[in-house]
Amino acid sequence: MTEPAAHRGLQRITPRRTRIGLVAGGLGAYWPQFPDLLPQLQASARRVSERFAALDCEVVDVGFISDAQEGAAAAEKLRVADCDLIVGFLATYMTASMLVPVAQRSGAPVLLLNLQPTEAMDHASFDTGAWLAYCGACPLPEMANAFERCGIDFRSVSGYLEDERAWARIDRWIRAAGVRAALRHGRHGLLGHLYPGMMDVVTDPTLVSAQLGGHVEILEIDDLRVRVEQVTEVETSARMGLAGELFELDDSVQLEDFRWGATVSVALDRLVEDFALDSLAYYHRGLDGETHERIAAGMILGASLLTARGVPAAGEYELRTSLAMLVMDRLGAGGSFTELQALNFRDNVVEMGHDGPAHLAISARKPLLRGLGVYHGKRGWGVSVEFDVQQGPVTLCGLGQRRDGSFNLIASEGTVVPGPLLQIGNTTSRVDFGCDPGEWTDAWSASGVAHHWALGTGHRAADLAAVADLLHLDLTVVAP
């Protein structure tokens, strides 16, 4: 994810590191027959462990196993470690009985690696012992059959030790495991109440815990109000200074509104810290300029700063979209709160965006704070964030819900292209999906996505397929 100047210096909230359990192995009957084989395989296993450590994850390496008894001991160590992904390195032939207990007891998804030492054997010089170091492919079908019969899901990557194509696929599974971990361990704030009439965004918090893991913390607007009242003038001024560095201030911004937005921003940070939140969805209507209305209307600046720091915030009580934003953020794609604005049949693009919180890391340039006398369709007034998304490949990601209550991921890849944009305090983008914008809009709507989603940079459908696999969710990709 590119980091524009407006995002530099804004400290991200450090997420929990992805924890990978690693076990390597081969059939112990070979060791006395071929004395040079085990040291070679152990060296390969050390190289795999080094490569994993370089992927910015915590590696729980339980070493090299040679029989079912050692497999059972490794299984117990990995069960206690509570890993996000179990990786089994098939260094040579090994029996399924050596890895099935590891997969059964851990409760984590399983990735099997068949990475031979080099691209190909030297057939002229190799004997049986040298060949066996290249024999990790042999047990892979055996593992697949045994895992299927034991009811264990798995995925595999085959290649060689320094095969960058294979490591790109491995990295995708690591990032997907990180997304799964962020949801499984996450605490997701739900503040206020549903925007009246938005039937599509209604989400049962229990289903989030049931299907994705984690916890939904129900918050009142007063949880934020009391923290707003505790913010000092010094804290407000400091936040205004930070915002002045990160944003261009439009002439429409009223100093009083800017100061209020900064105050609410400080209080939002305190709310997130006090409740240990990893994401936030919010909405509160309020009436006639009273305190609660002003607080709800003053959240855009602070919610955008939180989103940029890795705590996605979505307006209109959009819990599923705040989770989709979390998915895209953890994939390194940003992820801004987005909906359809209009179709442009002259330029063959779909125009989309939203008022409210935005992910500053995907802005094409220094974002703008614009003062608004009215928030369309909402109570209140104040400052809003405006920018256009970086030109280039983008992916939409929505978390849908079917009639049986099950969640599913919905994605579409496109390209942000240049052209005229509205200047109304929204984050906006012109997306070319490579087809008639009307046909794309019909297909996207028919997917069952709600009217909000996350927009992130890069083409991420393959990444989202890995995430969907680990979460046991269906993925619908809307393509031309």
Side-chain angles (χ1 to χ4, degrees):
M1 182 169 62
T2 325
E3 188 179 41
H7 188 237
R8 295 189 191 112
L10 190 62
Q11 177 111 15
R12 276 181 63 88
I13 296 172
T14 306
R16 172 187 177 276
R17 294 182 74 200
T18 307
R19 186 174 300 153
I20 305 300
L22 178 61
V23 57
L27 187 64
Y30 296 146
W31 314 152
Q33 296 176 324
F34 308 100
D36 295 333
L37 178 59
L38 179 58
Q40 181 181 0
L41 299 181
Q42 290 173 326
S44 292
R46 286 193 297 271
R47 180 57 182 151
V48 169
S49 185
E50 290 170 1
R51 291 289 306 245
F52 271 101
L55 293 177
D56 190 29
C57 55
E58 178 186 346
V59 181
V60 180
D61 188 345
V62 296
F64 201 96
I65 61 174
S66 300
D67 55 34
Q69 289 84 356
E70 291 181 359
E76 182 61 18
K77 292 177 183 176
L78 293 175
R79 182 191 67 79
V80 173
D82 187 27
C83 297
D84 303 311
L85 183 72
I86 299 295
V87 179
F89 173 37
L90 312 179
T92 185
Y93 176 75
M94 57 195 299
T95 64
S97 64
M98 296 168 64
L99 277 189
V100 164
V102 173
Q104 282 179 319
R105 297 179 194 176
S106 71
V110 178
L111 172 65
L112 299 180
L113 300 186
N114 158 39
L115 299 176
Q116 62 190 39
T118 65
E119 296 159 282
M121 293 185 292
D122 181 355
H123 298 80
S125 65
F126 271 31
D127 59 12
T128 301
W131 155 62
L132 286 172
Y134 284 72
C135 199
C138 181
L140 186 56
E142 176 177 337
M143 298 295 172
N145 178 278
F147 280 24
E148 170 65 26
R149 292 165 68 183
C150 292
I152 301 168
D153 294 331
F154 83 100
R155 57 288 306 153
S156 65
V157 173
S158 293
Y160 57 96
L161 278 178
E162 306 303 334
D163 182 354
E164 296 307 321
R165 294 169 302 178
W167 281 101
R169 293 168 59 201
I170 293 167
D171 183 48
R172 178 172 294 142
W173 288 115
I174 300 299
R175 284 184 279 119
V179 172
R180 176 181 178 271
L183 294 170
R184 189 164 69 101
H185 296 278
R187 290 176 53 83
H188 312 296
L190 192 57
L191 185 153
H193 60 82
L194 180 71
Y195 188 104
M198 286 187 180
M199 297 172 66
D200 61 325
V201 307
V202 179
T203 304
D204 180 349
T206 302
L207 292 182
V208 172
S209 298
Q211 297 182 46
L212 304 176
H215 166 75
V216 178
E217 183 73 15
I218 306 300
L219 301 168
E220 302 282 355
I221 191 69
D222 288 312
D223 289 317
L224 184 55
R225 175 188 60 78
V226 295
R227 288 166 175 81
V228 168
E229 293 169 351
Q230 294 166 357
V231 175
T232 67
E233 286 293 328
V234 171
E235 290 172 320
T236 295
S237 296
R239 186 54 51 93
M240 292 174 72
L242 174 64
E245 295 175 7
L246 298 173
F247 294 89
E248 295 284 353
L249 267 63
D250 187 73
D251 291 341
S252 59
V253 173
Q254 299 294 314
L255 180 60
E256 181 183 352
D257 293 341
F258 183 27
R259 180 172 294 277
W260 179 248
T263 300
V264 176
S265 175
V266 174
L268 273 172
D269 282 4
R270 201 157 287 156
L271 182 83
V272 165
E273 182 179 352
D274 290 347
F275 287 95
L277 301 180
D278 297 289
S279 69
L280 177 67
Y282 66 88
Y283 175 75
H284 183 83
R285 183 172 55 191
L287 288 170
D288 299 331
E290 48 82 36
T291 300
H292 293 113
E293 180 190 278
R294 293 189 63 230
I295 289 173
M299 292 178 67
I300 292 175
L301 172 59
S304 295
L305 293 177
L306 280 173
T307 300
R309 295 175 61 205
V311 179
E316 297 180 12
Y317 212 60
E318 249 287 27
L319 175 58
R320 295 202 311 280
T321 296
S322 65
L323 297 177
M325 292 166 65
L326 182 64
V327 169
M328 295 298 277
D329 180 85
R330 295 302 188 265
L331 288 176
S336 264
F337 190 41
T338 309
E339 67 183 1
L340 293 174
Q341 289 181 329
L343 307 183
N344 188 325
F345 293 96
R346 183 188 306 115
D347 298 337
N348 248 18
V349 297
V350 179
E351 299 181 25
M352 59 182 66
H354 207 287
D355 63 339
H359 203 307
L360 306 185
I362 66 172
S363 175
R365 56 187 58 85
K366 196 170 187 179
L368 181 77
L369 276 184
R370 184 181 293 279
L372 299 181
V374 62
Y375 290 149
H376 70 274
K378 303 181 183 72
R379 302 286 306 185
W381 63 94
V383 294
S384 188
V385 173
E386 177 179 305
F387 66 68
D388 51 320
V389 174
Q390 298 167 16
Q391 293 177 26
V394 293
T395 302
L396 314 185
C397 173
L399 183 62
Q401 186 171 10
R402 294 173 169 154
R403 67 180 66 184
D404 65 358
S406 63
F407 295 141
N408 65 318
L409 284 173
I410 303 163
S412 189
E413 296 178 335
T415 303
V416 169
V417 296
L421 299 167
L422 291 172
Q423 298 179 4
I424 58 172
N426 284 19
T427 59
T428 58
S429 51
R430 294 158 46 92
V431 188
D432 183 350
F433 290 100
C435 62
D436 176 81
E439 292 179 2
W440 179 87
T441 300
D442 291 337
W444 180 246
S445 301
S447 71
V449 71
H451 80 281
H452 301 122
W453 49 86
L455 183 148
T457 53
H459 282 165
R460 308 284 179 167
D463 293 335
L464 291 172
V467 170
D469 180 272
L470 296 190
L471 292 174
H472 297 106
L473 300 179
D474 290 335
L475 171 66
T476 299
V477 178
V478 176

